[in-house]
Every structure is written in structure tokens, then in C-alpha cells.
Amino acid sequence: NESRLCRNFIEEILKLGHSIVFTPELIDEWDKYGLRRKIFVPKTQPWYILMRRKGLVRIYHSDVQREELRQAIFNVVESNAIEVVRKDMRLIEAALLVDKSISSTDDKVRNHFRRAAQTVSELQLIIWANPVNLEENCVVWLREGAPPDEHRLLGYSEDTD
């Protein structure tokens, strides 16, 4: 099930020592759902606290919004998708601060960003992994060092094979 796949994914992030990035917007979102205090694995500390103790959480306190990038993306996505894309721009902006990697279960918004990447070159090399998509084998991908596999890139198009 999806929650088990997500739990396995985040456990692997911790076990392998991959880092995560937080911006003020992402902290607000996690706090809205109590995720920084959530215990994902019974009888353990909250995952976020364990990640902090290992020094695997990078927090950027300054405003990281990229207005020009946002406008470029909003100009090319479907008008009915702008609000959904606006909400998840925080993921794009955080990814661009560090390693250009995103893990999210939202394939709908990923597809909006994929279409935008055909025009907005800055999106093309962003890696997007969905831990609940079995075909993506995200735990194995993490164990391999989370390489920029072509099919994970927002700029990837099956038409260009």
C-alpha cells in the first residue's frame, strides 16, 4: 500500500544518509500536517528528529521564491492548473537550491511541470521520483545513489527516445 511504500522510502533516506531540504514554505506545510513530529515507524523517534540529529536536514531560512521562474511556468501551464502548480512551486524552488531532486506522490502536478519543462529549460534537469509508483523502484534508486535517471527528469520525453 502507499503508506508502506512511503515509509520504506523515508526509512531508506535516513538509513543511507541522504539529506533533505526545507524552506520556510515547506516547514509550514509539514507543520500544517504535523509531519515533523509524526512517528512513521512504531517505537522510534519521529523521522524528522532522527534526520536532524544525523545532520541530514538542510534548512534555508531566506525567501527562496523565484518570481521570474514562476511567471515563466505559469505562462505555459494550462490555466486550470496554475493554482496546483503554484502550490508545488515550493518543491521546485527547494530542489533548485540543492541537488535538483524531488520526491512526491503527486503525478498530476509532476505532469504539469513536465509539460512546462518542454518550454522552461530550468525545469528540464530536475529529478522527480514518486515513491508509491512501483515501476520507479525508488528504494533501489536511493540505494544506487539517486542518480539522474533520464526517465525521472522533468525534461524527459518518451517521444525523444
Side-chain angles (χ1 to χ4, degrees):
N1 76 24
E2 287 189 4
S3 61
R4 181 182 49 77
L5 290 168
C6 282
R7 186 177 60 246
N8 291 347
F9 183 75
I10 67 168
E11 286 175 5
E12 202 68 19
I13 289 171
L14 177 65
K15 182 173 125 187
L16 296 171
H18 288 282
S19 63
I20 58 172
V21 64
F22 276 92
T23 62
E25 282 187 312
L26 290 172
I27 288 172
D28 288 347
E29 184 173 354
W30 272 55
D31 286 349
K32 179 176 164 183
Y33 299 105
L35 295 174
R36 289 198 298 166
R37 296 181 310 280
K38 184 173 172 105
I39 297 174
F40 294 101
V41 181
K43 299 180 184 167
T44 65
Q45 297 269 336
W47 178 80
Y48 177 85
I49 291 172
L50 295 171
M51 291 287 290
R52 287 289 304 250
R53 283 192 188 140
K54 285 189 162 192
L56 299 174
V57 177
R58 297 179 186 171
I59 298 178
Y60 288 81
H61 292 287
S62 61
D63 181 17
V64 298
Q65 285 190 7
R66 309 259 312 273
E67 283 308 318
E68 285 182 27
L69 177 61
R70 284 175 176 241
Q71 268 322 122
I73 293 168
F74 299 157
N75 287 340
V76 297
V77 297
E78 299 87 352
S79 58
N80 64 341
I82 289 175
E83 283 312 307
V84 172
V85 168
R86 183 185 319 277
K87 179 185 153 299
D88 281 347
M89 276 302 300
R90 64 189 83 188
L91 299 175
I92 298 291
E93 290 160 339
L96 290 170
L97 288 172
V98 188
D99 63 0
K100 296 186 177 174
S101 296
I102 295 171
S103 60
S104 169
T105 61
D106 192 340
D107 279 340
K108 193 174 194 175
V109 78
R110 171 167 60 178
N111 289 333
H112 290 304
F113 284 121
R114 268 210 167 123
R115 284 190 293 277
Q118 301 311 307
T119 306
V120 182
S121 62
E122 199 166 355
L123 295 178
Q124 293 177 356
L125 297 180
I126 291 177
I127 300 159
W128 192 297
N130 181 343
V132 300
N133 184 332
L134 292 173
E135 294 173 6
E136 292 193 36
N137 292 318
C138 287
V139 169
V140 171
W141 173 70
L142 287 172
R143 289 176 184 157
E144 293 172 346
D149 299 328
E150 188 177 58
H151 70 278
R152 296 183 199 282
L153 301 176
L154 290 180
Y156 173 74
S157 172
E158 291 179 5
D159 299 338
T160 59
D161 274 356

